[in-house]
């Protein structure tokens, strides 16, 4: 078990299986020292636990938890490309999308769920730059989608 996966276990979390692509793309690709993930939905056991717009059918608190799940799924995608999560030198960038009700402006708070999970799991290596974007709709009516860019230790 990698040190990162041991840390996940300490936090009571299990790295899930990689979510299969919903269309014509790969869950993650490597280019040079970087792994780029596709947008990860908060899939659990092959399904979305909640659907709808944040600020309408979904609360900001629920969406923040869903963003944590997206980040966990993103780590699984990174592992599928890198082979070992201990190869992570740092998380460089997180981009998060929040399917938002027209008057919802709390996207950064929702994406804190993903950012906080990455910092809890990876420590300083998990601290990153980030964009939090409100959108009208996401695939499968998901409330949240997260993608990450990770730099790998070379060698």
């Amino acid at each position: 078990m990698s040190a990162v996966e041991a840390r996940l276990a300490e936090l009571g979390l299990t790295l899930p299986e990689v979510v299969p692509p919903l269309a014509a793309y790969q869950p993650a690709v490597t280019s040079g020292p970087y792994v780029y993930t596709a947008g990860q939905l908060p899939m659990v056991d092959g399904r979305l636990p909640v659907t709808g717009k944040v600020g309408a059918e979904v609360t900001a608190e629920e969406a923040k938890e869903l963003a944590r799940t997206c980040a966990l799924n993103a780590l699984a995608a990174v592992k599928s490309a890198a082979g070992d999560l201990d190869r992570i030198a740092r998380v460089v960038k997180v981009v998060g999308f929040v399917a938002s009700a027209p008057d919802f402006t709390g996207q950064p708070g929702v994406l804190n769920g993903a950012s906080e999970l990455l910092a809890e799991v990876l420590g300083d290596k998990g601290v990153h730059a980030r964009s939090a974007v409100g959108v009208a709709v996401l695939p499968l009516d998901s409330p949240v989608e997260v993608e990450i860019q990770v730099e790998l230790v070379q060698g």
Side-chain angles (χ1 to χ4, degrees):
M1 176 183 291
S2 74
V4 172
E5 289 179 88
R7 177 64 182 145
L8 284 165
E10 286 175 19
L11 295 169
L13 301 169
T14 304
L15 195 67
E17 292 295 317
V18 177
V19 176
L22 299 173
Y25 62 89
Q26 294 295 313
V29 297
T30 303
S31 180
Y34 298 100
V35 175
Y36 299 85
T37 72
Q40 299 293 309
L41 301 179
M43 302 290 270
V44 177
D45 297 324
R47 67 177 208 53
L48 289 174
V50 179
T51 59
K53 306 291 181 286
V54 181
E57 301 89 0
V58 181
T59 68
E61 295 77 25
E62 289 172 314
K64 184 176 179 181
E65 283 302 310
L66 294 170
R68 287 178 64 86
T69 301
C70 292
L72 197 56
N73 288 341
L75 287 174
V78 168
K79 182 180 178 186
S80 76
D84 184 349
L85 291 177
D86 287 349
R87 291 189 61 207
I88 295 174
R90 72 168 303 142
V91 177
V92 177
K93 177 90 186 247
V94 171
V95 179
F97 304 94
V98 180
S100 304
D103 61 345
F104 182 74
T105 60
Q107 293 83 5
V110 168
L111 269 297
N112 280 346
S115 295
E116 291 166 3
L117 178 118
L118 293 167
E120 288 170 28
V121 172
L122 299 167
D124 288 342
K125 294 177 184 180
V127 178
H128 52 267
R130 185 182 81 190
S131 298
V133 182
V135 298
V137 67
L138 289 167
L140 305 179
D141 200 24
S142 177
V144 183
E145 182 175 345
V146 172
E147 63 183 56
I148 68 174
Q149 177 185 349
V150 174
E151 182 180 6
L152 299 177
V153 173
Q154 294 302 294

